[in-house]
Each structure stands twice: as C-alpha cells, then as structure tokens.
Amino acid sequence: MLIKDGFDVMVYTNDDPIVAKRLEEMGCVAVMPLAGLIGSGLGICNPYNIKLIIESANVPVLVDAGVGTPSDATFAMELGCDAVLMNSAIACAQNPVLMASAMKKAIEAGREGYLAGRMPRNRDRGGR
C-alpha cells in the first residue's frame, strides 16, 4: 500500500533471500535484512544468506540489527552491503562517542576492502 501511495519503502526483513527478492520485486527501494536479533550484538549470524541477498539484489542492501562491534560492521561491508544501520552497538557502549568513531572507521575499511577485492582463498598454497 505504501508503494502504491508513492512512498519509497526501505523494508526491514529477515535474512531470507527469497523474501528479500520478493520485496524488491514489489517495488521496495532497499532491503534491510537483520544480521542478528535486534539489540543482541551477536553479529552477522548467517553471512551466507546476507551474501545471497546481496548477490541477487538490484537495490541497496543495508544490514540492520545484531551489529555489536566494529568488526561486525566491517564484515557486513566486506560482504558487499551498501550500508549498516546501528543503534544499540553505539548507544549501549561504555563510551558511545568512541564507539561511533570506531564504527565509522570500520565501515570505511570494510567498504574499501570490498571494493579492492579479496585475494582468493587457496588451501593448497600453504600461505604463498
């Protein structure tokens, strides 16, 4: 209904790739799959589903919920997410201002790492 009424809908959803694709097909301008339970700080519980959503999406993918550490935010961006929404990770930190600064740097590092392209994993090379 909101889409029909002319709203740009950025929809919060679970991490189901099929549901995310259907929401995109309905006309949502972005999908926001949860990484973990809201406020849990558990990080990205199912990175494979998040990656599947990213690989099939033609709209921005914004990870929401579950992010607890800067490394969680970096990982989301390294997977190819367009953004990470967060609240509890900063609001519940012992030093929210310092955590916000750390999250900004983590997002930037993760995005640059994604754009730079990860070296291939090769178990046969023994680190060479």
Side-chain angles (χ1 to χ4, degrees):
M1 253 179 153
L2 291 172
I3 294 168
K4 287 181 183 177
D5 286 343
F7 286 89
D8 289 334
V9 177
M10 299 170 60
V11 63
Y12 178 73
T13 184
N14 63 16
D15 64 353
D16 183 321
I18 295 170
V19 170
K21 193 62 177 174
R22 289 202 176 133
L23 290 166
E24 177 187 333
E25 290 167 352
M26 289 172 57
C28 294
V29 298
V31 292
M32 303 186 312
L34 57 86
L37 299 174
I38 296 171
S40 69
L42 291 173
I44 300 176
C45 294
N46 193 341
Y48 302 104
N49 277 12
I50 300 296
K51 188 68 175 167
L52 287 170
I53 291 169
I54 292 165
E55 288 172 349
S56 69
N58 295 307
V59 296
V61 176
L62 294 69
V63 157
D64 191 7
V67 173
T69 64
S71 59
D72 294 337
T74 299
F75 185 39
M77 296 305 289
E78 287 174 339
L79 287 172
C81 290
D82 295 285
V84 178
L85 297 177
M86 61 185 77
N87 176 31
S88 300
I90 294 170
C92 298
Q94 292 177 18
N95 185 333
V97 173
L98 187 58
M99 183 60 79
S101 174
M103 289 296 190
K104 177 184 180 209
K105 293 169 188 158
I107 293 291
E108 291 171 347
R111 185 63 181 173
E112 286 181 12
Y114 172 74
L115 293 173
R118 187 197 192 293
M119 69 173 284
R121 288 182 171 98
N122 188 341
R123 295 176 65 177
D124 297 328
R125 294 190 70 181
R128 292 185 228 191

